[in-house]
Amino acid sequence: MPNRSNTDATLPEGIRRRSLAGINGLTVGLLEAGYEQANRPLVLLLHGFPELAYSWRATMLPLAAAGYHVVAPDQRGFGSTTGWDARYDGDVASFRTHNYARDALGVVEALGYRAVHAVVGHDFGAMVAAYCTLVRPDIFKSLVLMSFPFDGPPPIPFDMTRSPPVRHTSSPAEQLAQLSPPREDSMAWFGSSGANADMLHAPQGLHDFLRAYFHVKSADWAGNHPHPLSGSIAELATLPTYYIMEKDVGMAATVAPLMPTPSQVASNRWFTEHDLDVYTAAFQRTGFQGGLNWFRCHAGPIGRSELELFTGRTIDVPSAFVSGESDWGAYRKPGALERMQTSAFTRMEGVHFIEGAGHWVQQEQPDRFNALLLELLERNGRS
C-alpha cells in the first residue's frame, strides 16, 4: 500500500511513494507516477551514487504525462529500501551487479509486468541497466545509459596453450601510487574500509560534504572540461581530484576546498537546500556503505567474474547514451565510449551530450533531458 514519509512533502503532486516486500530479500521503497491507469508501458529509472529515487523527481511527471507508468526504486543500499547488509565485513557479494539486476527484475514482476518498455540508468545505475538488457533482453526492451558507458563484458584469455597471456609489470593502481604526489582512483577508494566514515562523518558535516560533492561534479564548477583520454597514467592523473584522488586524502577533504559560495548556493535552482535536506536525511539514516559495496564488487574480481560469463555477448536492444557536456564520467574509462559505439552494442542509436549539464544531467537540465528522453522512448514504439 502507498505510504507517506516526512520527506514526501518535497515530491511534486502526482508522484507517490510505495514499498514492495519480498523483492530478492528486500523491502524496496520506490517512487512512481502514471499509476492511475492500467496497462501503460513501464519505464524503470535506476539512480546512481550517491543518489536516491528522488533524483528522478523532475523526470517522472513528464514521462507520466506522455502515457508511461514510471517507477524509480531506491536501489539496494539506499534510501527507503531495507533488508540489505550495512556492514563493511558483511555480505558484500549481495551488492554485485547481478543482484542489483535481480532486484530490478523483482520490482518489475511484483508490479505485474512481463516487459519493460525502457530501463534508464544513471551512473552505477547505468551499469545495472546495461546488465539487465544483456541478461534479459526479452524483458528489458530498450535501454538508455547516462554518464557511465558500458563497453561490454571483458574478454577471457583465449587459446592460452599457444598464446600465453601477457604479464603486466605493474597495475594501474600501482602506477598511480608511484606518481608525485601519489594518486588513487576514486573507484578503488570507495571500496576502502574507511570511505563510509570519511563521508558520513566529514569534518565539514554531511550536509556540506554533499553540497560540495554535487557541486564539483556539475556544470556549475568551472574546473570541468572533459575530453577523450589516451589511457596513459600521466594523462589519467590530470582528471579532477574527485575522480583521481591524492592518495590517503579522503573524499571529504578532497571536495571541501571546492565548496560553492553562499551566493552560488542561493542561486542554485536544480539542487536547492530543500533537495539537499532530503539527501542529507537519507544518508544520515543509512550511511554510504551499501552503495560503496557495489564499487567493491564491480572494481574487483567478483564484478569481473560475473561479466566474464557473458564474454563475446553484445547488447542487442535499441539503446542510447546521454551525458552532460561537462561530465567527465563519459571519458574516465579511456576508450569505453568508443567501444560502446563500435562493438558492445548492435543497436546503439545515438550518443547525446546535453549543454549546461555535468554529471547530474537529469537534475541539472531537466527540460532538455526530458525532451530528449521522451524522443528516445517514442522512437522505439510502445511495448
Side-chain angles (χ1 to χ4, degrees):
M1 294 292 293
N3 58 72
R4 306 293 291 176
S5 73
N6 292 334
T7 61
D8 285 356
T10 63
L11 293 174
E13 187 69 28
I15 298 177
R16 73 176 179 183
R17 186 179 301 278
R18 293 181 72 185
S19 292
L20 299 176
I23 308 296
N24 198 23
L26 303 174
T27 295
V28 174
L30 56 84
L31 301 179
E32 66 176 338
Y35 50 82
E36 299 87 352
Q37 296 176 331
N39 301 318
R40 286 181 164 214
L42 178 65
V43 176
L44 185 66
L45 306 175
L46 302 178
H47 67 78
F49 178 88
E51 294 185 275
L52 304 162
Y54 185 78
S55 301
W56 301 102
R57 63 195 176 279
T59 297
M60 299 183 70
L61 291 180
L63 297 191
Y68 295 98
H69 182 189
V70 190
V71 173
D74 282 327
Q75 296 212 71
R76 177 180 294 262
F78 295 85
S80 59
T81 290
T82 60
W84 46 275
D85 193 334
R87 299 170 297 166
Y88 179 82
D89 295 321
D91 183 13
V92 177
S94 66
F95 294 91
R96 66 198 189 277
T97 305
H98 178 92
N99 222 27
Y100 278 98
R102 169 61 181 84
D103 296 344
L105 179 60
V107 168
V108 172
E109 295 281 340
L111 291 172
Y113 283 88
R114 297 297 185 189
V116 179
H117 178 71
V119 56
V120 183
H122 176 245
D123 187 75
F124 96 86
M127 183 66 189
V128 177
Y131 195 92
C132 286
T133 56
L134 180 71
V135 177
R136 294 304 304 266
D138 58 318
I139 293 177
F140 299 93
K141 299 295 188 178
S142 68
L143 168 67
V144 178
L145 303 173
M146 298 164 58
S147 303
F148 196 120
F150 178 69
D151 57 347
I156 296 175
F158 182 75
D159 198 6
M160 295 171 60
T161 57
R162 289 189 293 178
S163 302
V166 177
R167 294 185 178 182
H168 298 284
T169 55
S170 60
S171 67
E174 292 170 331
Q175 295 178 58
L176 284 171
Q178 292 167 4
L179 296 176
S180 181
R183 306 297 292 276
E184 179 178 23
D185 194 311
S186 63
M187 293 276 284
W189 182 85
F190 281 141
S192 67
S193 60
N196 177 61
D198 176 89
M199 297 184 292
L200 184 60
H201 305 298
Q204 65 267 47
L206 179 59
H207 174 280
D208 282 7
F209 164 72
L210 288 170
R211 170 60 74 186
Y213 189 81
F214 274 79
H215 174 70
V216 299
K217 296 187 75 172
S218 76
D220 296 345
W221 186 56
N224 287 320
H225 302 287
H227 55 80
L229 302 171
S230 66
S232 72
I233 293 298
E235 188 181 33
L236 192 65
T238 66
L239 264 66
T241 53
Y242 59 76
Y243 273 147
I244 303 298
M245 306 165 66
E246 291 191 16
K247 194 169 178 60
D248 300 323
V249 176
M251 190 62 75
T254 294
V255 302
L258 306 174
M259 181 75 175
T261 65
S263 63
Q264 288 176 311
V265 171
S267 63
N268 190 314
R269 294 293 176 263
W270 65 268
F271 200 60
T272 66
E273 283 295 290
H274 203 50
D275 297 328
L276 180 54
D277 286 344
V278 174
Y279 283 80
T280 303
F283 286 106
Q284 187 70 62
R285 185 177 67 255
T286 66
F288 295 97
Q289 193 59 61
L292 294 173
N293 280 344
W294 177 84
F295 289 94
R296 297 171 67 190
C297 291
H298 177 71
I302 293 175
R304 184 176 181 90
S305 177
E306 68 179 359
L307 278 175
E308 283 177 340
L309 179 62
F310 303 96
T311 190
R313 284 278 300 271
T314 54
I315 290 179
D316 303 319
V317 303
S319 304
F321 178 81
V322 180
S323 186
E325 282 189 350
S326 297
D327 184 7
W328 270 105
Y331 303 111
R332 78 182 308 267
K333 184 178 181 181
L337 191 66
E338 291 74 21
R339 290 188 294 273
M340 181 187 71
Q341 297 175 78
T342 59
S343 60
F345 291 74
T346 60
R347 300 180 66 183
M348 175 54 62
E349 299 180 349
V351 172
H352 308 270
F353 289 91
I354 293 180
E355 182 181 0
H359 187 66
W360 323 105
V361 55
Q362 79 272 31
Q363 299 185 72
E364 294 180 63
Q365 292 292 337
D367 291 342
R368 293 174 180 174
F369 172 76
N370 293 340
L372 175 59
L373 181 58
L374 282 168
E375 177 186 332
L376 296 172
L377 297 181
E378 293 297 314
R379 182 183 300 172
N380 298 313
R382 303 241 172 175
S383 55

